[in-house]
Amino acid sequence: MEDHVRIFDTTLRDGEQAPGCTMTLEEKLEVARQLARLGVDIIEAGFPAASPGDWAAVHEIAKTVGTPDGPIIAALARANKDDIDKAWSAIQPAAKKRIHTFISSSDIHIEHQLRSTREEVLERARLMVRYARSLCDDVEFSPMDATRSDPEYVYRMLAAVVAEGATTLNIPDTVGYATPEEYAELIAGIYRHVPGADKVIISTHCHDDLGMAVANSLAGVRAGARQIECTINGIGERAGNASLEEVVMALKTRRSFFGVDTRINTRELARSSRLLSTIIGMPVPPNKAIVGANAFAHESGIHQDGVLKHRMTYEIMDATTIGLDGNAIVLGKHSGRNALRTKLAAMGYEFDSEEEFNQVFQRFKDLCDKKKVVDDRDLEVLATGGSLHTPELYRLEHVQVTCGTGVTPVATVRITDPDGNTQTTAAHGTGPVDAIYKAIDKIVGRPNDLIEFSIKAVTEGIDAVAEVSVRIREPGDAVEEREYRVGRHRGPQIYSGYSANTDTIVAAAESYMAALNKMIAARQERLSAENVAYAAGYDRNRPTYAVDLFGKNATE
């Protein structure tokens, strides 16, 4: 049994499946680079068989981040040859590759989703692990919904795939059903009943439906698991996955209890959390463990008194260990390009082109004209601003709002379209933001449903930078929604937009434009990718999961 726990990050696969967490290829690459800096052992880059776009993203991550000294790059595949072939081809550029294949083991899944039998599913698992192993030396297998399965059947399935060469056995609590005691007993039972279990890595994959994903993962480690599957900020299907920052800091802070640690560079945790939050437009709750704004804050007089006398009276972790040093900087309006570039490089920010840096530098100068003090948090916002991640098909040139007591809010916007034509229009609304969005819609003309709008201050004071996040959804019909629910395709998508500005109204307009541009660009990319894929014979409207699983074609 190894003396460290491997961190298997599935932010880009399971995490991205959460509504509103869809990322562009460029955004996925940025997250993947940060995960490499963080020091995760394995990056599950995606599900290549899901779509041509997913295949391309996994392939690019494997090429860019999968260096010899970088993490293992894994791709997910159902237990069928087509999925496995697509996963294997997608991860080819990576120096260290892993195929992660899965099939359901619970009777409720076997009967109602797969419409099969235990013996057929067991044979499929065995044959597909054998096939994956013929391609790749590193093969992970997951019995989906393991915690609601007959343990004896799970043991039989795991024994069969170990015999066929599986190197990692992942035990999913797919619907977040288990308690820590039950989950630990399942892991312990695998060591007792599965021949060869002591020669492979046992992994945890826990969902948070009952709020026990982290507790279950740690219980699995206590029972012998040496890999944890998790995501930044705990994002994922439904209530999410086990939170990477929480399991890592629990193992580090309570090393004497767990007896193991990770290889994570914990000083990158706060930055990883903020980067992902910015990209997907999903704010971190203030009371979120480890990375929430209140995680190291004290308001109670008793607590303040204790911390002032000795930090450890009410803090079990040092904020600096997760990268929250909070040091102010002396950059200001007289600072030059080299000073800013050097400071951002020290903070770990790199730019793919001079144009990207020029954007940041201009925003820095604009901010310096409005703020007396520019600190590290302001710089983080500048460096991870939404405009760097969003294709600028429609460009907001001007926004102006008239509003106040007894006045109907009116907004005027000027926008340049993809063909270079500029239009100006005005609209009134129930408030300034409503008026702005209606004016933008008049020009862009792309129907959408605004499902979330949030504002927060990045720093303190009257001159604080405001962050605005919005989420919009493509209008979808009942057929699309039903197809999405049964797993045929993703259906109506949710797109996030983000902006930061000392002018909240401007940030609100820019964030909405960012979301609209993402939605429009995604549709263009999807149509382009599907046209290429159809020409090559790729059919996204394949039969149901069960039919595809057992290798039958549509005519049969």
Side-chain angles (χ1 to χ4, degrees):
M1 198 174 293
E2 297 191 18
D3 62 353
H4 79 282
V5 175
R6 299 182 181 192
I7 296 300
F8 178 112
D9 183 273
T10 185
T11 300
L12 297 173
R13 200 277 302 170
D14 199 328
E16 202 219 4
Q17 290 175 192
C21 294
T22 303
M23 293 175 256
T24 65
L25 190 148
E26 291 75 18
E27 289 168 341
K28 289 181 180 180
L29 278 174
E30 184 157 4
V31 172
R33 291 188 186 103
Q34 178 58 25
L35 291 173
R37 283 191 290 266
L38 183 60
V40 303
D41 299 277
I42 306 102
I43 295 176
E44 187 168 51
F47 191 174
S51 72
D54 281 16
W55 185 95
V58 174
H59 189 76
E60 190 64 27
I61 290 168
K63 182 169 64 176
T64 305
V65 182
T67 58
D69 59 345
I72 296 168
I73 305 299
L76 187 68
R78 291 168 296 182
N80 67 67
K81 285 190 175 182
D82 182 63
D83 274 29
I84 291 171
D85 286 339
K86 285 186 170 69
W88 179 235
S89 64
I91 59 176
Q92 279 307 300
K96 293 176 285 189
K97 312 172 185 64
R98 175 179 294 187
I99 295 175
H100 179 194
T101 188
F102 71 96
I103 196 168
S104 294
S105 60
S106 69
D107 289 332
I108 192 168
H109 279 208
I110 292 172
E111 178 183 353
H112 297 291
Q113 185 175 19
L114 302 184
R115 304 198 173 182
S116 186
T117 66
R118 283 188 177 188
E119 292 308 314
E120 286 179 326
V121 170
L122 179 62
E123 181 65 6
R124 174 58 52 177
R126 187 179 65 79
L127 290 175
M128 290 303 100
V129 168
R130 177 192 296 177
Y131 179 65
R133 192 66 169 81
S134 73
L135 302 173
C136 184
D137 291 336
D138 190 353
V139 175
E140 178 171 333
F141 175 77
S142 295
M144 187 160 67
D145 205 22
T147 56
R148 292 195 298 170
S149 304
D150 175 3
E152 296 301 323
Y153 179 63
V154 172
Y155 301 152
R156 285 180 59 206
M157 182 178 282
L158 295 179
V161 299
V162 168
E164 296 296 342
T167 52
T168 299
L169 301 179
N170 180 51
I171 313 304
D173 184 21
T174 304
V175 293
Y177 181 74
T179 65
E181 292 80 3
E182 291 169 327
Y183 194 74
E185 177 54 33
L186 181 58
I187 299 295
I190 291 169
Y191 281 109
R192 292 196 302 267
H193 300 290
V194 176
D198 58 332
K199 303 295 193 300
V200 300
I201 297 293
I202 307 297
S203 174
T204 71
H205 182 109
C206 300
H207 281 263
D208 209 34
D209 297 72
L210 293 176
M212 293 187 280
V214 170
N216 285 337
S217 300
L218 296 173
V221 170
R222 288 276 287 172
R226 288 298 177 265
Q227 176 178 292
I228 295 177
E229 301 199 357
C230 47
T231 61
I232 298 294
N233 294 342
I235 67 169
E237 291 276 9
R238 304 179 313 280
N241 289 264
S243 165
L244 182 149
E245 56 275 6
E246 292 180 28
V247 295
V248 165
M249 290 308 294
L251 292 174
K252 181 180 181 66
T253 305
R254 300 300 309 280
R255 196 185 192 292
S256 60
F257 178 76
F258 290 104
V260 290
D261 204 346
T262 70
R263 293 171 176 166
I264 293 295
N265 176 8
T266 61
R267 287 188 60 84
E268 292 288 337
L269 286 173
R271 183 183 169 208
S272 301
S273 171
R274 287 193 289 259
L275 174 66
L276 180 68
S277 176
T278 297
I279 285 176
I280 64 175
M282 187 177 287
V284 176
N287 64 331
K288 170 79 165 64
I290 313 301
V291 292
N294 294 347
F296 294 93
H298 304 275
E299 185 169 338
S300 162
I302 295 174
H303 286 221
Q304 291 174 342
D305 178 67
V307 169
L308 289 172
K309 291 174 178 174
H310 193 288
R311 181 185 59 79
M312 292 189 68
T313 52
Y314 289 101
E315 287 186 3
I316 60 172
M317 294 170 283
D318 186 340
T320 61
T321 62
I322 67 164
L324 291 177
D325 37 33
N327 293 329
I329 63 167
V330 293
L331 292 182
K333 65 179 181 180
H334 300 296
S335 300
R337 298 167 59 85
N338 186 52
L340 178 62
R341 192 192 300 271
T342 301
K343 176 60 181 178
L344 290 174
M347 294 172 67
Y349 291 105
E350 302 172 359
F351 301 96
D352 294 332
S353 67
E354 191 65 18
E355 181 183 354
E356 281 191 7
F357 176 74
N358 288 339
Q359 290 182 45
V360 173
F361 183 71
Q362 185 57 53
R363 293 168 68 196
F364 167 71
K365 284 295 188 181
D366 292 342
L367 182 61
C368 288
D369 287 336
K370 300 172 183 177
K371 289 196 69 174
K372 292 182 178 179
V373 178
V374 179
D375 63 18
D376 284 10
R377 288 177 293 175
D378 293 317
L379 287 180
E380 267 188 347
V381 171
L382 292 177
T384 60
S387 62
L388 297 182
H389 311 294
T390 305
E392 201 170 32
L393 302 175
Y394 288 85
R395 186 170 67 252
L396 181 68
E397 307 286 0
H398 171 80
V399 58
Q400 182 175 333
V401 176
T402 301
C403 61
T405 304
V407 176
T408 299
V410 177
T412 302
V413 299
R414 185 167 65 247
I415 294 173
T416 300
D417 67 21
D419 297 324
N421 303 313
T422 300
Q423 298 181 60
T424 302
T425 192
H428 61 80
T430 57
V433 174
D434 184 48
I436 291 170
Y437 288 7
K438 285 178 177 175
I440 291 172
D441 286 341
K442 277 187 178 182
I443 295 177
V444 177
R446 298 301 175 101
N448 67 87
D449 300 321
L450 179 65
I451 61 174
E452 185 175 316
F453 176 89
S454 67
I455 302 174
K456 70 172 183 176
V458 178
T459 52
E460 300 79 12
I462 196 68
D463 59 354
V465 172
E467 285 185 323
V468 177
S469 299
V470 302
R471 296 206 291 168
I472 63 175
R473 178 172 55 203
E474 285 185 292
D477 58 27
V479 174
E480 275 190 307
E481 186 66 22
R482 185 168 64 253
E483 292 287 291
Y484 167 66
R485 291 297 179 189
V486 299
R488 292 285 293 274
H489 64 86
R490 293 193 175 202
Q493 290 291 285
I494 296 174
Y495 300 95
S496 63
Y498 165 88
S499 183
N501 200 294
T502 52
D503 189 324
T504 306
I505 293 299
V506 173
E510 291 176 343
S511 62
Y512 187 56
M513 288 296 300
L516 284 172
N517 277 322
K518 276 188 182 181
M519 185 180 76
I520 297 166
R523 180 169 287 277
Q524 292 177 351
E525 289 177 5
R526 188 159 63 242
L527 291 174
S528 176
E530 287 180 355
N531 287 337
V532 172
Y534 293 158
Y538 185 105
D539 184 8
R540 73 177 172 87
N541 294 312
R542 289 177 296 186
T544 60
Y545 177 12
V547 174
D548 188 34
L549 186 68
F550 292 101
K552 301 175 183 177
N553 61 38
T555 57
E556 291 176 329

